[in-house]
Structure formats: C-alpha cells, structure tokens
Amino acid sequence: MAWSISNAPYDAGFTLVEALLASLLFGLVATAMAGALVYGRTATANAGDHQRAMMLADEGLQAARNIRDAAYGNLDNGIYGLSLAGGTWTLSGTSDQTGIFNRSISISDAGTNRKQVVSTVTWSKGSVTARGQFSNWRAAIVSSPSWRRAILAGSFDISSVQDGIKVATQGDYAYIIRANGSPNFAIINIHTPSAPALVGSLNLAGAPTNIALGNGYAYVTNGQNSGEVQTVSISDPAAPLLTATTNLVGNADATSIYTSGAYAYVSRMANGNSGEFVVLSLANPAIPTIAGSYSSDINMRDAYVSGNYAYVATEADAQELLVISVATPAAPQLVATLDLPGTTNTTAITGSGSYIYIGQGGTLRVIDIASPTAPTLTGSYSASGAINDLAANTTDPTFVFMATGDTAATFQVADVGNPANPTLARSIGLGSTGFLQGVALNASLNVVVGASTADSQEGVVFAPN
C-alpha cells in the first residue's frame, strides 16, 4: 500500500499570510517614511525661521550701535521699532515687522554714559533675544582730557610790544608781569580758556622780575634798588592797587618770590653776602615786613618751599641747589647743598610731593627730597631749548610744565611719573620768534598759562585735550 501526502492547500495558505504581512509591513514603513518626511520638512522650516529671527535680532543690535555712533542722545529709554531710510537706521514706533517676524528694541540705562539694548524678535512659533551694552565713547574721551594731547587754547595781547616775563594764576584769573611797557602788570580773566580777556592793569615802578600770589595780594619782585618787593591788592581784579613797596638790604635785584602760609620767600642775586635769601612776614599781607634772612654771596635764581624747607636754585657751580631750613623764619639755616652735573647755571625750580624739579640750562633734573637734608639726583631729561620756568601740580606728580627757549616747542610737558626716566609727553610752539619765559598751572581750571615774547600774545593758555 502506498501513502502520499499533498501540501498544496498548505502552500497556498502560507502564501496568503505572507502577502498580508508584507502588505502590512509595507504600509507601516510607508507611513513612517511619510511622517519622517513631513516632520523633517517642518523641523527644517522651524530651524530656518529661528535662524532668520536670530539674524533680525542681531541686526537690531547693530542698528542701535549705528544710531549711537551718529549721536548717543538718540538712544532714549523706551521700546521701539526700527526703520531704514537712505541707508540710515532710526528708531520708529514700538516695533517693526519683517514677514512673519515682529521685532522690538528696548533701551534702558546701564550706568553713567552707558545703555542696555535688548533686541527681541517674535513669531508664531517662538522668540529670540539679543542683548548688548553701548557706551557714550565720545563723552568718555571728552571727560578724560590728557596733557599728552595738550593744545594752545587761547591767547591775549597786552598793549605795546614788551615781552611777558612771568605769570601767576589762581581762580579765574592770571597775573602777568613785563619787565617794562605800559602796563607792566596785567590781570587776565581766563575762565574761558579760549577767550582770555584783560580786566585790569597797573604800571609798577622799576623792572618787575617775578610774581607770587597769596591772601588776596600779588607780590612782585623787582630790579629797583629802593623797592625789591611790591605788594599789589588784587581783591578787585578790575582795579589792582599798590599797597606797599618793601626795600631789602643792599642793591641786588630780587629774582623770585614764593608764598606759603604767613610768609613769602625771596631769592636775590649776589649781594655782598648780605641777605640773598629773605623771609618776609605776611602777618599784615598788605605790608610785608622782613622776618629774617640767609646770606651767601651767590646768585640765587628761584625758590620753592615745602614744609619747613626752602629749595633754592643758584648759579654756584658746586652747589646748584641749596636746602634752607625755614622752621625758624627769623633765622633761616642752610642744611644741605647738592652739586649737579656740569657747570651750567640753574634757572628754575618747582616741586610736587617728595620730588623737586630744577631747570639747568636745557636739562630738567628730578631730585628726591624724601629726606630734605639729603637730596639726591634721581633722573634727568634733555629738553629742546633752555628751560626758563617750571610749574607742577603739588598734588599730582605726573607732569611738569616747562617754558623753554625753543620757538618750535616752547611749551613742553614732561612725564615724570617714573622719576628715574622722565620723558616728553607733549610740546607746542608759538611760531615765528615767540617763546615762553614763564608758566603757571591753574589746578582748578586745569590749564597752564604762559608769559611769552610774542608781540601779539604776551599771554597764552594751554589746556589738555
């Protein structure tokens, strides 16, 4: 007997199931692929929208920067839109629209001369923000003028052509003297440095040589034998008045004067070893009286006083600097000398803090006086032209101002921040043959006034820039 089994029905059934499963699987795959395609397109679109929104937000910040650069005052606090016309951005309305995107610019204070700017872009599916801070950089420059960029701010002409010799300044006024001419004592209002104006003048007897201020008076040294110091009331700038003439012992010319508190200190040319350095009492400032003197038969050219010590620049080759104790005004005592390099005469002296500065020919000497009885030479700078006068800020030992004989660079600013290595920070010339013979710093106005040989500008005003 033979057996046989037929599997035809079974094969047919299996093929049908496979077909159904394959169809179902294909549907699932097709659906997944279609979903992925749709989702991918949506994600790509959203990413593109986000990128465009970021670009618009950043454009908002750049537009605010351009508006700031045109005029910082245009960045008023508030919420604005932007408009662009003729290549110029302006703030307009409360927002601006670009396609599906809405942009707003928020501006608020972030400190002095500084603004916080927030650029926000929104659309139906999200928002982005860009932030920035913008400073008023022009104001920062203006509020921080520097003597390294000093300028000739203004000048004034005194009638006749006699040279300006020396100058002193305080408050809104500068006081300039001339060796001769009419007038030889002038008061200038320098409140507006670019437009100084003559307000008062006086004709003094003799030939004025130097000037110092104090207690509402100007004290003028002179070459006349019978009155080496003249006292001028300046309480009314429009009407200066001579109140006293002080005659010193002998006939030597007085060369300089320095006021400090209740005393004035006068240096003189050699006088036969008789009162070349004189202390005047200003107990009655209108009528100075001799309190004491120190004698040494040498030419004393200029003096600077700090504390209980007077520092005197001289023409003596072996002792160009004298240090005189004035702790007892009736009996000044020499406590130290300093021999500077070479034999060139010293002509000017000033000081700030623990340093003094001496003009020796065309060289600026920096001298440490931290120990007044043991002064030491610290540094030197070679100026162009002979140094005729010096001025310094007694509270800020950064710059020393020099009046020199170099017509092309007669005003020179020395940076003495590093006392061992002074450098030139700025120089200015007056042109033609004019040069400075005197300088004085007005710390309250932050200007330096110069006395010059230029016929049409006997007085000049320099300012930081």
Side-chain angles (χ1 to χ4, degrees), residues 169-173 189-193 442-448 463-464:
T169 178
Q170 67 179 16
D172 287 340
Y173 299 95
N189 188 323
I190 58 169
H191 179 76
T192 303
N442 187 309
S444 62
L445 295 179
N446 196 25
V447 298
V448 171

Side-chain angles (χ1 to χ4, degrees), residues 304 306 311 321 323 353-356 367-376:
Y304 166 75
S306 178
Y311 302 89
L321 173 66
V323 183
S354 58
Y355 293 93
I356 58 172
I367 298 169
D368 188 335
I369 56 168
S371 176
T373 59
T376 57

Side-chain angles (χ1 to χ4, degrees), residues 331-405:
Q333 297 290 323
L334 181 68
V335 294
T337 65
L338 182 64
D339 183 13
L340 296 177
T343 59
T344 304
N345 295 335
T346 58
T347 53
I349 189 170
T350 189
S352 177
S354 58
Y355 293 93
I356 58 172
Y357 310 96
I358 293 181
Q360 185 186 21
T363 302
L364 177 69
R365 304 290 189 189
V366 182
I367 298 169
D368 188 335
I369 56 168
S371 176
T373 59
T376 57
L377 178 61
T378 301
S380 299
Y381 164 74
S382 294
S384 57
I387 298 173
N388 299 320
D389 201 9
L390 295 169
N393 189 329
T394 57
T395 61
D396 180 12
T398 303
F399 298 109
V400 171
F401 307 97
M402 298 182 285
T404 79

Side-chain angles (χ1 to χ4, degrees), residues 29-44:
V29 171
T31 301
M33 291 180 65
L37 180 62
V38 172
Y39 178 78
R41 287 179 175 176
T42 300
T44 299

Side-chain angles (χ1 to χ4, degrees), residues 101-385:
F101 304 101
N102 183 272
R103 177 173 59 193
S104 63
I105 306 297
S106 173
I107 301 173
S108 60
D109 290 327
T112 303
N113 286 318
R114 187 174 292 276
K115 295 287 187 178
Q116 171 81 21
V117 178
V118 179
S119 176
T120 301
V121 176
T122 61
W123 70 106
S124 61
K125 296 185 181 299
S127 66
V128 295
T129 298
R131 301 174 184 273
Q133 286 194 8
F134 302 119
S135 65
N136 185 4
W137 55 269
R138 287 190 177 90
I141 292 174
V142 171
S143 64
S144 301
S146 172
W147 282 107
R148 300 180 189 282
R149 299 185 297 271
I151 59 171
L152 174 60
S155 64
F156 48 91
D157 182 22
I158 303 173
S159 60
S160 72
V161 297
Q162 282 72 29
D163 299 343
I165 298 295
K166 295 294 186 226
V167 61
T169 178
Q170 67 179 16
D172 287 340
Y173 299 95
Y175 306 82
I176 189 168
I177 58 170
R178 303 192 292 179
N180 46 40
S182 180
N184 58 9
F185 177 92
I187 301 178
I188 313 297
N189 188 323
I190 58 169
H191 179 76
T192 303
S194 61
L198 178 70
V199 295
S201 63
L202 190 64
N203 290 323
L204 297 174
T209 59
N210 220 318
I211 182 172
L213 307 175
N215 308 300
Y217 293 87
Y219 300 96
V220 181
T221 55
N222 202 292
Q224 67 173 341
N225 295 335
S226 59
E228 288 84 1
V229 179
Q230 296 161 316
T231 302
V232 179
S233 172
I234 53 175
S235 57
D236 181 359
L241 177 66
L242 179 68
T243 63
T245 297
T246 305
N247 185 31
L248 304 181
V249 175
N251 295 326
D253 294 350
T255 55
S256 77
I257 186 166
Y258 189 96
T259 56
S260 179
Y263 295 94
Y265 305 88
V266 180
S267 59
R268 305 174 69 190
M269 300 297 278
N271 191 43
N273 202 38
S274 180
E276 284 80 7
F277 177 81
V278 180
V279 181
L280 297 179
S281 171
L282 303 180
N284 179 355
I287 307 175
T289 57
I290 298 175
S293 65
Y294 165 77
S295 299
S296 179
D297 197 22
I298 56 177
N299 293 332
M300 300 188 187
R301 297 298 303 273
D302 201 5
Y304 166 75
V305 179
S306 178
N308 290 326
Y309 298 93
Y311 302 89
V312 183
T314 83
E315 293 184 2
D317 290 343
Q319 47 184 18
E320 287 89 354
L321 173 66
L322 306 181
V323 183
I324 300 173
S325 171
V326 292
T328 304
Q333 297 290 323
L334 181 68
V335 294
T337 65
L338 182 64
D339 183 13
L340 296 177
T343 59
T344 304
N345 295 335
T346 58
T347 53
I349 189 170
T350 189
S352 177
S354 58
Y355 293 93
I356 58 172
Y357 310 96
I358 293 181
Q360 185 186 21
T363 302
L364 177 69
R365 304 290 189 189
V366 182
I367 298 169
D368 188 335
I369 56 168
S371 176
T373 59
T376 57
L377 178 61
T378 301
S380 299
Y381 164 74
S382 294
S384 57

Side-chain angles (χ1 to χ4, degrees), residues 51-67 82-84 89 91 96-98 101 103-105 117-121 128-131 134:
Q51 184 65 27
R52 284 189 289 274
M54 286 297 299
M55 293 175 66
L56 285 170
D58 183 67
E59 181 185 61
L61 288 187
Q62 298 308 316
R65 186 189 305 277
N66 290 341
I67 292 170
L82 291 168
S83 64
L84 182 63
W89 287 103
L91 299 172
D96 63 270
Q97 194 77 25
T98 301
F101 304 101
R103 177 173 59 193
S104 63
I105 306 297
V117 178
V118 179
S119 176
T120 301
V121 176
V128 295
T129 298
R131 301 174 184 273
F134 302 119

